[in-house]
Amino acid sequence: MRYTTFEEDEESGTVVARPHSQTDSAVRFELGFAEWADEDSGNWEELLAHLMEEVLGGEELSIDQDGNAVIGVEDAAETLAESEHARSEDSARAIIDYLADNDIVTVEQSTVTVLRPPHTYDEDEMDRAVKMYSNWAAAFDTLTERIETAVGRVEEAQERLTSRAEETTDVTEHLQNLREKREEYKQEMLSIAGDRDISELDEEERRKFDHAREQYYHYDNLVEQEEKQGETIPNPNPDQMDLGEIIDQLESTKDQFSIEQERLRDRIRTQQLWPTEAVAASEQFTNVLSAMGNVVPKQERMEDEDPQNFLDDLRGNSDEMAELNESSQAITQEDTGTETIQEQ
């Protein structure tokens, strides 16, 4: 990491990040990025959401073979420098290193890992895993917004294509009208000429024939022009999905992201709200009582006593208790019988 020492000043509400190299200068940024906003979200989520929004789907972001989302650290710093939280690329880089110092992201040489599959953490890394849950939740927020934007674009395209289809219907009707007008003048010329040649027509018939021929050419040219124009319009690819299906897919994916995000929030809440200190204190109180009573603490007994011997002892005690119960019942029955005789 470029910045390795971080001095938090509660009074000024800032962090001073000091670089590893003496040639670099210290930078100051706002305190609180590495803290929890509440029981299920971190203050750093807005930073990561801005980063993910800018690089998601671009070449800067890559997913490695382990499922980690990795970004070039310089690309990440350049992107965060454009946000309202960093004043410069140096400040942005210091914030990234600060998040890494608090186990929120991981910086290794020239890359920063912003997302890591939660199941890859060991049990003793639960604090880091919970922070990663928050990172994933921020990513799902960004993905959900992206999907909503995509759905809006597809719906807009669908409306425009529908409108275009209606316009095409109008064009088809227009072309049909042109063909009908052309046919009218064709029939008029055939009616005028009949079985005769042009030379056999009288002057009036020739005038009417030429007028009809002129109109025929007019409409024939319009038909030809429209037919050629229609050929230049690409037909929809039959292999392409219906836009309605695309919207359904996007909506179902968005719903799944929302479900997964809520699961992550639940996991974060469970870990954050679990009374770890109270549970530990309860164990200590129990040990104090054991010491006062001069008895072996339960944890020590759990480690020292053989489970099978313990089970055998339980069974032996159960047999003894059963015999005692049988004896007690027999004595009770004898007493009851004696009392009954006396009453008679």
Side-chain angles (χ1 to χ4, degrees):
M1 295 191 303
R2 181 188 300 177
Y3 297 88
T4 55
T5 304
F6 303 94
E7 301 171 2
E8 298 179 347
D9 187 351
E10 297 285 350
E11 184 175 349
S12 64
T14 60
V15 177
V16 176
R18 302 195 180 279
H20 175 73
S21 174
Q22 295 181 352
T23 59
D24 294 326
S25 302
V27 297
R28 186 187 299 271
F29 56 84
E30 182 182 348
L31 176 65
F33 288 133
E35 298 176 359
W36 289 98
D38 48 42
E39 70 271 10
D40 64 2
S41 62
N43 286 333
W44 60 88
E45 286 190 19
E46 187 174 346
L47 284 173
L48 293 186
H50 175 81
L51 182 61
M52 295 296 293
E53 173 65 25
E54 296 299 320
V55 302
L56 196 62
E59 296 180 354
E60 300 92 341
L61 178 68
S62 62
I63 307 297
D64 65 19
Q65 59 184 3
D66 297 322
N68 302 315
V70 180
I71 307 173
V73 68
E74 296 301 331
D75 289 333
E78 182 179 351
T79 301
L80 286 183
E82 299 172 356
S83 71
E84 60 182 4
H85 305 292
R87 300 176 180 176
S88 64
E89 286 192 26
D90 288 338
S91 175
R93 176 58 193 270
I95 292 174
I96 293 172
D97 288 343
Y98 179 64
L99 296 180
D101 190 64
N102 284 274
D103 296 327
I104 295 170
V105 299
T106 303
V107 174
E108 295 179 351
Q109 297 180 350
S110 61
T111 63
V112 52
T113 301
V114 294
L115 295 176
R116 172 181 166 185
H119 67 271
T120 61
Y121 287 94
D122 296 329
E123 291 185 4
D124 59 351
E125 297 180 294
M126 186 52 63
D127 288 343
R128 297 179 64 188
V130 171
K131 292 177 181 179
M132 185 54 66
Y133 291 155
S134 185
N135 293 6
W136 279 101
F140 285 155
D141 266 339
T142 301
L143 289 168
T144 299
E145 292 176 1
R146 279 289 190 90
I147 289 175
E148 289 176 349
T149 301
V151 168
R153 289 175 178 172
V154 174
E155 289 177 340
E156 180 181 354
Q158 189 177 40
E159 291 177 0
R160 294 178 67 179
L161 288 173
T162 301
S163 175
R164 175 59 186 165
E166 293 173 352
E167 292 175 3
T168 302
T169 301
D170 293 340
V171 170
T172 302
E173 293 177 356
H174 171 65
L175 180 59
Q176 182 63 27
N177 292 333
L178 293 177
R179 288 170 175 165
E180 290 176 357
K181 293 294 292 185
R182 182 182 63 179
E183 183 65 20
E184 287 179 9
Y185 287 105
K186 173 184 175 181
Q187 294 301 323
E188 182 178 347
M189 287 186 291
L190 292 175
S191 175
I192 293 172
D195 296 331
R196 296 174 296 172
D197 293 334
I198 292 295
S199 60
E200 299 175 343
L201 300 180
D202 61 28
E203 184 177 349
E204 180 62 20
E205 289 174 330
R206 181 61 186 267
R207 185 187 65 78
K208 291 181 179 179
F209 183 90
D210 287 342
H211 174 76
R213 183 164 64 118
E214 182 182 357
Q215 294 301 313
Y216 176 87
Y217 286 155
H218 171 76
Y219 287 104
D220 187 58
N221 286 344
L222 291 178
V223 168
E224 182 179 359
Q225 179 185 9
E226 186 59 37
E227 287 176 342
K228 288 182 177 180
Q229 286 294 104
E231 291 175 357
T232 64
I233 301 175
N235 293 323
N237 187 345
D239 295 331
Q240 290 180 343
M241 294 179 61
D242 180 81
L243 290 182
E245 293 178 342
I246 295 176
I247 293 175
D248 290 341
Q249 281 197 359
L250 289 170
E251 291 285 5
S252 61
T253 303
K254 183 186 73 172
D255 292 343
Q256 187 62 37
F257 277 139
S258 298
I259 292 172
E260 292 297 334
Q261 184 191 55
E262 189 56 33
R263 286 174 179 163
L264 288 170
R265 297 292 186 197
D266 286 340
R267 291 178 183 177
I268 296 172
R269 281 190 289 267
T270 299
Q271 184 66 21
Q272 290 291 91
L273 299 178
W274 182 255
T276 305
E277 295 182 359
V279 172
S282 174
E283 293 291 329
Q284 293 177 345
F285 296 155
T286 302
N287 292 338
V288 169
L289 292 175
S290 298
M292 291 177 60
N294 194 27
V295 297
V296 181
K298 63 178 182 179
Q299 193 60 38
E300 187 175 338
R301 294 182 65 185
M302 288 288 293
E303 296 174 358
D304 295 342
E305 294 184 11
D306 182 74
Q308 186 59 52
N309 293 337
F310 174 72
L311 178 59
D312 293 340
D313 289 341
L314 286 181
R315 289 169 175 166
N317 290 337
S318 296
D319 293 340
E320 292 178 5
M321 290 299 297
E323 292 177 1
L324 289 174
N325 287 336
E326 290 177 1
S327 299
S328 299
Q329 290 176 1
I331 293 172
T332 301
Q333 290 175 356
E334 291 177 0
D335 292 343
T336 302
T338 302
E339 292 172 356
T340 303
I341 294 172
Q342 289 176 349
E343 288 177 355
Q344 291 176 346

